[in-house]
Amino acid sequence: MAGDGFMSHLAAADSLSDLSRRLGAVCLERESELAEMADQPATARELRRLEDWCGRQSLAIWEEVIADPSRFDARFGAKVVASLRRTGARYPLDCLGVVRGICRRALGELFATTVDQVSLEHGLPVPFATRPLPDVLGEHCTTSLTTLNGTNLLHPLPYDLYGPLPGGQVRVVLDYAHRDRLDELTWDEETGLPKIATIHPVVGDGFDVTIEGDRFFHVRPKEWDADAVARLLEAAKAEGASLAVLPELSLPAPDALEDLIGRASDDLPPLVVAGSAHVEEAGAGEPIRANEARIYLDGRFVARARKHHGFRTKEIAGESFGDYLLEDLTRDQKTIMVLSGTRTRLAVVICADLQEAKIPALLVAAGVNLLLVPTMTRKIGSFNTAVSGVAGWSQGVAALANTRWGEDGQPFLCFCAVPRESPLEQTAALPDDGREPAPVLGVFDPNQPLPDAVSWP
C-alpha cells in the first residue's frame, strides 16, 4: 500500500475532517523538523508535487477513499502512490503534503457547504474567516491573517492548524447552521461592518444575592422592567444597529427576554445577546450552577454561552467583605459556540472569561473576528489585552456592555475594539458622553476609529 505512514491515518479516519485533524496533529508534533525539511529544495519540490496532486481531488473522492481505503491507489494513481512512498521515507512529510493538498480543494468544499457544528480539535486545519475591510481603514488596518501566519506549515493557504491540546476545560465549536444570515448581518459591500448597540438598563435598587460561606450565587436585579429593556432595543434598531448586547447578570433568568424577543423581533436588532443570569439545573451528580447568556437571531434562540471563570470580589450588592467571595460556578466543561459564516465568526463570552489567559487565546485560535461580551465589573482589568488580540490577530471587532453603576458611567459602559493599527484608535473604554445621568444606550460603528466610533443617542 502507498505510504504506510499516511495510510495508517487514512485507515483510522471516519471523515475528511477527522483525517485532516489526524494529519495536522502529527504535523504539529514535529513542526520544527517539517519546517527544516520544507526548506530543502529537493524536498520542497516533492512536497509541492504531492500537494498539487492531492489538491486536485474533490470532497466526494476523498470521502470515497476514507470509506474504503483500499481504493486509494486506484483513485489517486501511480504518481501519487510513488510520491507518498518518497515523502513517507521522511515521515511525516507525507502527512504534510496530503493535508496541504486537502486544504487546496476538498476541505474548502466541506467548510463552504456545511451547516453543521464543527468541533475544533488539535490539528484540525481551520479556514480563515476573511472579509474586506472598510475603505475608510485604508492602509491603517491591523495585519492580515495571511501575513501573521507566514511561518506556519500551511502558508500561504488560508488555513491554520488548530493548536490547543485536547482535554481542556473549555472547548470551541464552530456552528455553521446560520452561515448565510450571519454573513448578511455582519458585512455589507457598501456600508461595511454592522453597528452594534450596547444596552445599559438602570440598576435602580441594585441586586439581590445569595451568599454561603465564601461563595455567592443567584445574583439578580431587584427591579426588572422587561418593557424598558424592549424600548432600549427598539431604540437601538431605530439607530441602525444590527446587533445588541446587554450586561452580565442584568436578567432575572437566562430566558427572561425570550418571549418578548420572539414577539417583537421585527422591531429589534436582528441579533441580540440578552445579557446573562445565574441558573441552577440538575446534573449527572451535583446540580450545575451556571452564568448563562442567550443569543437570539431573528427572534429565535440559537445559542448559549456559559461562563467559565468565576468572579472574585470583596464587594457585592452594596456590601463589603474582608475576604474574597467567589462566584459559585460548577466546573463542568464549557463550550464556546462560535456562530460561523464564510466571513464572520461571532463568539460570546461573559466578563471574567476575558480576564483568563486561555480563553482569549482560544478565541484567536478559532479565528473569532466578532466578539460580544456581557460584563458586570467595576474595574477594567485586562480587558484591553483580550480585545486587542481580537482586533490585532483576527482583524476583528469587539464590544463589551457593562452594568450602569452610577451617573458617571464608570469604569465604562461600553468597551470596544476595531481593527486599526494605531493603539489610540483601536480600543476605548467609554463611560459616557459627559451627560448626567449617564446614557443607557450606546451605538458603536466599528468602521470608524475609536473613541469617536461610539455615539450616545
Side-chain angles (χ1 to χ4, degrees), residues 101-149:
I102 288 172
C103 291
R104 289 267 298 265
R105 179 178 176 182
L107 200 60
E109 292 178 7
L110 177 64
F111 275 106
T113 57
T114 186
V115 292
D116 296 327
Q117 294 181 358
V118 179
S119 180
L120 297 188
E121 298 180 44
H122 179 71
L124 180 69
V126 181
F128 298 161
T130 57
R131 57 198 174 196
L133 290 173
D135 290 339
V136 69
L137 281 172
E139 297 179 356
H140 304 295
C141 59
T142 51
T143 310
S144 70
L145 282 169
T146 300
T147 300
L148 289 169
N149 286 275

Short mmCIF file of all heavy atoms in Angstrom, two decimals, residues 101-149:
data_model
loop_
_atom_site.label_atom_id
_atom_site.label_comp_id
_atom_site.label_asym_id
_atom_site.label_seq_id
_atom_site.Cartn_x
_atom_site.Cartn_y
_atom_site.Cartn_z
N GLY A 101 -2.67 19.42 0.45
CA GLY A 101 -3.49 19.16 -0.73
C GLY A 101 -4.98 19.16 -0.40
O GLY A 101 -5.79 19.72 -1.15
N ILE A 102 -5.35 18.57 0.72
CA ILE A 102 -6.75 18.56 1.13
C ILE A 102 -7.26 19.98 1.32
O ILE A 102 -8.39 20.32 0.94
CB ILE A 102 -6.91 17.73 2.43
CG1 ILE A 102 -6.73 16.24 2.12
CG2 ILE A 102 -8.27 17.98 3.07
CD1 ILE A 102 -6.69 15.37 3.36
N CYS A 103 -6.42 20.86 1.88
CA CYS A 103 -6.82 22.25 2.09
C CYS A 103 -6.96 23.00 0.76
O CYS A 103 -7.68 24.01 0.69
CB CYS A 103 -5.81 22.97 2.97
SG CYS A 103 -5.79 22.42 4.69
N ARG A 104 -6.30 22.53 -0.28
CA ARG A 104 -6.38 23.22 -1.57
C ARG A 104 -7.77 23.14 -2.18
O ARG A 104 -8.20 24.05 -2.89
CB ARG A 104 -5.36 22.58 -2.55
CG ARG A 104 -3.92 22.88 -2.24
CD ARG A 104 -3.41 24.09 -2.99
NE ARG A 104 -3.45 23.91 -4.43
CZ ARG A 104 -2.43 23.50 -5.18
NH1 ARG A 104 -1.27 23.22 -4.59
NH2 ARG A 104 -2.56 23.38 -6.48
N ARG A 105 -8.50 22.03 -1.91
CA ARG A 105 -9.82 21.89 -2.54
C ARG A 105 -10.86 21.26 -1.62
O ARG A 105 -11.87 21.87 -1.29
CB ARG A 105 -9.71 21.08 -3.84
CG ARG A 105 -11.06 20.89 -4.52
CD ARG A 105 -10.95 20.14 -5.83
NE ARG A 105 -12.28 19.90 -6.40
CZ ARG A 105 -12.49 19.22 -7.52
NH1 ARG A 105 -11.47 18.73 -8.22
NH2 ARG A 105 -13.73 19.03 -7.97
N ALA A 106 -10.64 20.01 -1.23
CA ALA A 106 -11.70 19.23 -0.59
C ALA A 106 -12.18 19.84 0.72
O ALA A 106 -13.38 19.91 0.99
CB ALA A 106 -11.21 17.79 -0.35
N LEU A 107 -11.24 20.28 1.56
CA LEU A 107 -11.65 20.83 2.84
C LEU A 107 -12.38 22.16 2.64
O LEU A 107 -13.32 22.50 3.37
CB LEU A 107 -10.45 21.01 3.77
CG LEU A 107 -10.76 21.12 5.26
CD1 LEU A 107 -11.46 19.88 5.77
CD2 LEU A 107 -9.49 21.38 6.07
N GLY A 108 -11.95 22.91 1.64
CA GLY A 108 -12.66 24.14 1.31
C GLY A 108 -14.09 23.87 0.90
O GLY A 108 -15.01 24.60 1.27
N GLU A 109 -14.30 22.80 0.10
CA GLU A 109 -15.66 22.42 -0.28
C GLU A 109 -16.48 22.06 0.95
O GLU A 109 -17.66 22.41 1.05
CB GLU A 109 -15.63 21.24 -1.25
CG GLU A 109 -15.05 21.55 -2.61
CD GLU A 109 -14.99 20.33 -3.51
OE1 GLU A 109 -15.54 19.27 -3.12
OE2 GLU A 109 -14.40 20.42 -4.60
N LEU A 110 -15.86 21.36 1.88
CA LEU A 110 -16.57 20.95 3.09
C LEU A 110 -16.99 22.18 3.92
O LEU A 110 -18.16 22.32 4.29
CB LEU A 110 -15.68 20.04 3.93
CG LEU A 110 -16.24 19.59 5.28
CD1 LEU A 110 -17.48 18.74 5.08
CD2 LEU A 110 -15.19 18.82 6.07
N PHE A 111 -16.05 23.08 4.19
CA PHE A 111 -16.37 24.24 5.01
C PHE A 111 -17.32 25.21 4.30
O PHE A 111 -18.09 25.92 4.96
CB PHE A 111 -15.10 24.97 5.43
CG PHE A 111 -14.45 24.40 6.67
CD1 PHE A 111 -13.30 23.65 6.59
CD2 PHE A 111 -15.01 24.62 7.92
CE1 PHE A 111 -12.70 23.13 7.73
CE2 PHE A 111 -14.43 24.11 9.07
CZ PHE A 111 -13.27 23.36 8.97
N ALA A 112 -17.28 25.23 2.98
CA ALA A 112 -18.14 26.17 2.23
C ALA A 112 -19.59 25.73 2.20
O ALA A 112 -20.48 26.55 1.95
CB ALA A 112 -17.61 26.32 0.81
N THR A 113 -19.84 24.46 2.46
CA THR A 113 -21.20 23.95 2.31
C THR A 113 -21.82 23.44 3.61
O THR A 113 -23.03 23.25 3.67
CB THR A 113 -21.23 22.80 1.28
OG1 THR A 113 -20.33 21.77 1.69
CG2 THR A 113 -20.82 23.31 -0.09
N THR A 114 -21.01 23.21 4.63
CA THR A 114 -21.56 22.61 5.84
C THR A 114 -22.53 23.55 6.55
O THR A 114 -22.34 24.76 6.56
CB THR A 114 -20.44 22.18 6.81
OG1 THR A 114 -21.03 21.48 7.91
CG2 THR A 114 -19.69 23.38 7.35
N VAL A 115 -23.57 22.98 7.12
CA VAL A 115 -24.47 23.71 8.00
C VAL A 115 -24.48 23.04 9.37
O VAL A 115 -25.40 23.23 10.17
CB VAL A 115 -25.90 23.78 7.42
CG1 VAL A 115 -25.92 24.66 6.19
CG2 VAL A 115 -26.45 22.39 7.09
N ASP A 116 -23.45 22.27 9.64
CA ASP A 116 -23.34 21.51 10.87
C ASP A 116 -22.42 22.24 11.87
O ASP A 116 -21.85 23.29 11.57
CB ASP A 116 -22.78 20.12 10.59
CG ASP A 116 -23.71 19.28 9.73
OD1 ASP A 116 -24.94 19.46 9.85
OD2 ASP A 116 -23.21 18.47 8.94
N GLN A 117 -22.26 21.62 13.02
CA GLN A 117 -21.30 22.10 14.01
C GLN A 117 -19.98 21.36 13.81
O GLN A 117 -19.96 20.16 13.58
CB GLN A 117 -21.82 21.86 15.42
CG GLN A 117 -23.04 22.68 15.76
CD GLN A 117 -23.54 22.48 17.17
OE1 GLN A 117 -23.00 21.67 17.93
NE2 GLN A 117 -24.59 23.20 17.55
N VAL A 118 -18.89 22.11 13.87
CA VAL A 118 -17.55 21.55 13.71
C VAL A 118 -16.79 21.78 15.00
O VAL A 118 -16.49 22.93 15.37
CB VAL A 118 -16.81 22.21 12.53
CG1 VAL A 118 -15.40 21.64 12.40
CG2 VAL A 118 -17.58 22.02 11.23
N SER A 119 -16.48 20.71 15.71
CA SER A 119 -15.72 20.81 16.95
C SER A 119 -14.25 21.01 16.61
O SER A 119 -13.67 20.22 15.85
CB SER A 119 -15.91 19.56 17.80
OG SER A 119 -15.19 19.65 19.00
N LEU A 120 -13.65 22.05 17.16
CA LEU A 120 -12.24 22.32 16.88
C LEU A 120 -11.38 21.43 17.78
O LEU A 120 -11.46 21.52 19.01
CB LEU A 120 -11.92 23.79 17.11
CG LEU A 120 -12.65 24.77 16.19
CD1 LEU A 120 -12.10 26.18 16.36
CD2 LEU A 120 -12.55 24.36 14.73
N GLU A 121 -10.58 20.61 17.14
CA GLU A 121 -9.71 19.70 17.86
C GLU A 121 -8.28 19.89 17.39
O GLU A 121 -8.02 20.33 16.27
CB GLU A 121 -10.16 18.25 17.63
CG GLU A 121 -11.56 17.97 18.14
CD GLU A 121 -11.98 16.53 17.92
OE1 GLU A 121 -11.16 15.63 18.18
OE2 GLU A 121 -13.12 16.30 17.48
N HIS A 122 -7.34 19.52 18.24
CA HIS A 122 -5.92 19.71 17.97
C HIS A 122 -5.54 19.14 16.61
O HIS A 122 -5.76 17.96 16.33
CB HIS A 122 -5.11 19.02 19.08
CG HIS A 122 -3.63 19.13 18.91
ND1 HIS A 122 -2.95 20.31 19.10
CD2 HIS A 122 -2.69 18.20 18.58
CE1 HIS A 122 -1.66 20.11 18.90
NE2 HIS A 122 -1.49 18.84 18.59
N GLY A 123 -4.98 19.98 15.78
CA GLY A 123 -4.51 19.54 14.47
C GLY A 123 -5.44 19.86 13.32
O GLY A 123 -5.03 19.81 12.15
N LEU A 124 -6.71 20.16 13.60
CA LEU A 124 -7.66 20.41 12.51
C LEU A 124 -7.28 21.69 11.77
O LEU A 124 -7.10 22.74 12.38
CB LEU A 124 -9.07 20.56 13.06
CG LEU A 124 -10.17 20.82 12.01
CD1 LEU A 124 -10.39 19.59 11.14
CD2 LEU A 124 -11.47 21.24 12.68
N PRO A 125 -7.18 21.66 10.42
CA PRO A 125 -6.98 22.90 9.68
C PRO A 125 -8.24 23.76 9.75
O PRO A 125 -9.33 23.31 9.38
CB PRO A 125 -6.71 22.42 8.25
CG PRO A 125 -6.35 20.97 8.37
CD PRO A 125 -7.13 20.47 9.55
N VAL A 126 -8.10 24.98 10.22
CA VAL A 126 -9.23 25.89 10.38
C VAL A 126 -9.09 26.99 9.32
O VAL A 126 -8.08 27.69 9.27
CB VAL A 126 -9.25 26.52 11.78
CG1 VAL A 126 -10.45 27.45 11.93
CG2 VAL A 126 -9.29 25.43 12.85
N PRO A 127 -10.11 27.16 8.47
CA PRO A 127 -10.00 28.21 7.45
C PRO A 127 -10.09 29.60 8.06
O PRO A 127 -10.76 29.80 9.08
CB PRO A 127 -11.21 27.94 6.54
CG PRO A 127 -12.20 27.24 7.42
CD PRO A 127 -11.38 26.43 8.39
N PHE A 128 -9.39 30.53 7.46
CA PHE A 128 -9.51 31.91 7.89
C PHE A 128 -10.92 32.41 7.58
O PHE A 128 -11.49 32.08 6.53
CB PHE A 128 -8.53 32.82 7.15
CG PHE A 128 -7.07 32.49 7.38
CD1 PHE A 128 -6.10 32.94 6.50
CD2 PHE A 128 -6.66 31.73 8.47
CE1 PHE A 128 -4.77 32.65 6.69
CE2 PHE A 128 -5.33 31.42 8.68
CZ PHE A 128 -4.37 31.89 7.77
N ALA A 129 -11.48 33.19 8.49
CA ALA A 129 -12.72 33.92 8.21
C ALA A 129 -12.30 35.32 7.79
O ALA A 129 -11.87 36.12 8.61
CB ALA A 129 -13.62 33.96 9.43
N THR A 130 -12.38 35.58 6.51
CA THR A 130 -11.87 36.86 5.99
C THR A 130 -13.00 37.66 5.36
O THR A 130 -13.94 37.10 4.81
CB THR A 130 -10.77 36.63 4.95
OG1 THR A 130 -11.27 35.80 3.91
CG2 THR A 130 -9.56 35.95 5.59
N ARG A 131 -12.87 38.95 5.44
CA ARG A 131 -13.84 39.85 4.81
C ARG A 131 -13.07 41.11 4.41
O ARG A 131 -12.07 41.48 5.05
CB ARG A 131 -14.96 40.20 5.79
CG ARG A 131 -14.45 40.84 7.07
CD ARG A 131 -15.47 40.80 8.17
NE ARG A 131 -14.91 41.28 9.43
CZ ARG A 131 -15.45 41.09 10.61
NH1 ARG A 131 -16.57 40.42 10.71
NH2 ARG A 131 -14.90 41.57 11.69
N PRO A 132 -13.51 41.77 3.37
CA PRO A 132 -12.88 43.05 3.03
C PRO A 132 -13.09 44.02 4.18
O PRO A 132 -14.14 44.02 4.82
CB PRO A 132 -13.65 43.50 1.78
CG PRO A 132 -14.39 42.30 1.30
CD PRO A 132 -14.64 41.44 2.48
N LEU A 133 -12.09 44.81 4.46
CA LEU A 133 -12.25 45.82 5.48
C LEU A 133 -12.68 47.14 4.84
O LEU A 133 -12.42 47.38 3.66
CB LEU A 133 -10.94 46.00 6.26
CG LEU A 133 -10.61 44.81 7.16
CD1 LEU A 133 -9.24 44.97 7.77
CD2 LEU A 133 -11.64 44.64 8.26
N PRO A 134 -13.36 47.99 5.59
CA PRO A 134 -13.89 49.23 5.01
C PRO A 134 -12.80 50.08 4.36
O PRO A 134 -11.67 50.14 4.85
CB PRO A 134 -14.50 49.94 6.22
CG PRO A 134 -14.73 48.88 7.22
CD PRO A 134 -13.67 47.85 7.01
N ASP A 135 -13.15 50.73 3.26
CA ASP A 135 -12.19 51.60 2.58
C ASP A 135 -11.66 52.68 3.51
O ASP A 135 -10.53 53.14 3.36
CB ASP A 135 -12.85 52.25 1.36
CG ASP A 135 -13.12 51.25 0.25
OD1 ASP A 135 -12.46 50.19 0.25
OD2 ASP A 135 -13.96 51.54 -0.61
N VAL A 136 -12.48 53.07 4.48
CA VAL A 136 -12.08 54.14 5.39
C VAL A 136 -10.83 53.75 6.18
O VAL A 136 -10.05 54.60 6.62
CB VAL A 136 -13.23 54.51 6.34
CG1 VAL A 136 -13.51 53.39 7.33
CG2 VAL A 136 -12.93 55.81 7.10
N LEU A 137 -10.59 52.42 6.35
CA LEU A 137 -9.39 51.99 7.05
C LEU A 137 -8.14 52.23 6.21
O LEU A 137 -7.05 52.44 6.74
CB LEU A 137 -9.50 50.51 7.42
CG LEU A 137 -10.34 50.16 8.63
CD1 LEU A 137 -10.51 48.66 8.75
CD2 LEU A 137 -9.71 50.70 9.89
N GLY A 138 -8.31 52.13 4.88
CA GLY A 138 -7.17 52.33 4.00
C GLY A 138 -6.03 51.41 4.37
O GLY A 138 -6.20 50.20 4.52
N GLU A 139 -4.84 51.99 4.56
CA GLU A 139 -3.66 51.21 4.92
C GLU A 139 -3.46 51.15 6.44
O GLU A 139 -2.42 50.71 6.90
CB GLU A 139 -2.42 51.82 4.26
CG GLU A 139 -2.47 51.78 2.73
CD GLU A 139 -1.24 52.43 2.12
OE1 GLU A 139 -0.42 52.96 2.89
OE2 GLU A 139 -1.11 52.38 0.89
N HIS A 140 -4.46 51.59 7.17
CA HIS A 140 -4.28 51.74 8.62
C HIS A 140 -4.91 50.60 9.40
O HIS A 140 -5.16 50.73 10.60
CB HIS A 140 -4.85 53.08 9.08
CG HIS A 140 -4.27 54.25 8.37
ND1 HIS A 140 -2.94 54.59 8.49
CD2 HIS A 140 -4.83 55.13 7.50
CE1 HIS A 140 -2.70 55.66 7.74
NE2 HIS A 140 -3.83 56.00 7.13
N CYS A 141 -5.20 49.47 8.77
CA CYS A 141 -5.79 48.34 9.48
C CYS A 141 -4.69 47.45 10.05
O CYS A 141 -3.52 47.52 9.68
CB CYS A 141 -6.69 47.53 8.55
SG CYS A 141 -5.84 46.89 7.10
N THR A 142 -5.08 46.59 10.98
CA THR A 142 -4.14 45.65 11.56
C THR A 142 -3.74 44.59 10.53
O THR A 142 -4.35 44.45 9.48
CB THR A 142 -4.75 44.98 12.81
OG1 THR A 142 -6.04 44.45 12.48
CG2 THR A 142 -4.91 45.99 13.94
N THR A 143 -2.72 43.84 10.85
CA THR A 143 -2.08 42.93 9.90
C THR A 143 -3.00 41.79 9.49
O THR A 143 -3.73 41.24 10.32
CB THR A 143 -0.79 42.37 10.52
OG1 THR A 143 -0.02 43.45 11.04
CG2 THR A 143 0.03 41.62 9.50
N SER A 144 -2.95 41.41 8.23
CA SER A 144 -3.81 40.34 7.72
C SER A 144 -3.39 38.98 8.28
O SER A 144 -2.23 38.77 8.65
CB SER A 144 -3.76 40.29 6.20
OG SER A 144 -2.50 39.81 5.76
N LEU A 145 -4.34 38.05 8.30
CA LEU A 145 -4.05 36.70 8.78
C LEU A 145 -3.00 36.02 7.91
O LEU A 145 -2.18 35.24 8.41
CB LEU A 145 -5.34 35.87 8.79
CG LEU A 145 -6.28 36.14 9.97
CD1 LEU A 145 -7.62 35.46 9.73
CD2 LEU A 145 -5.67 35.64 11.26
N THR A 146 -3.01 36.27 6.61
CA THR A 146 -2.03 35.65 5.73
C THR A 146 -0.62 36.04 6.14
O THR A 146 0.29 35.19 6.19
CB THR A 146 -2.29 36.07 4.27
OG1 THR A 146 -3.60 35.65 3.90
CG2 THR A 146 -1.27 35.44 3.34
N THR A 147 -0.41 37.31 6.47
CA THR A 147 0.91 37.76 6.90
C THR A 147 1.25 37.24 8.29
O THR A 147 2.37 36.76 8.54
CB THR A 147 0.98 39.30 6.90
OG1 THR A 147 0.72 39.76 5.57
CG2 THR A 147 2.33 39.79 7.35
N LEU A 148 0.30 37.30 9.21
CA LEU A 148 0.54 36.85 10.57
C LEU A 148 0.91 35.37 10.63
O LEU A 148 1.65 34.93 11.51
CB LEU A 148 -0.69 37.11 11.44
CG LEU A 148 -0.98 38.57 11.78
CD1 LEU A 148 -2.37 38.70 12.39
CD2 LEU A 148 0.07 39.14 12.72
N ASN A 149 0.36 34.60 9.70
CA ASN A 149 0.60 33.15 9.69
C ASN A 149 1.66 32.75 8.66
O ASN A 149 1.68 31.61 8.20
CB ASN A 149 -0.71 32.41 9.42
CG ASN A 149 -1.63 32.43 10.61
OD1 ASN A 149 -1.54 31.61 11.50
ND2 ASN A 149 -2.52 33.42 10.65
#
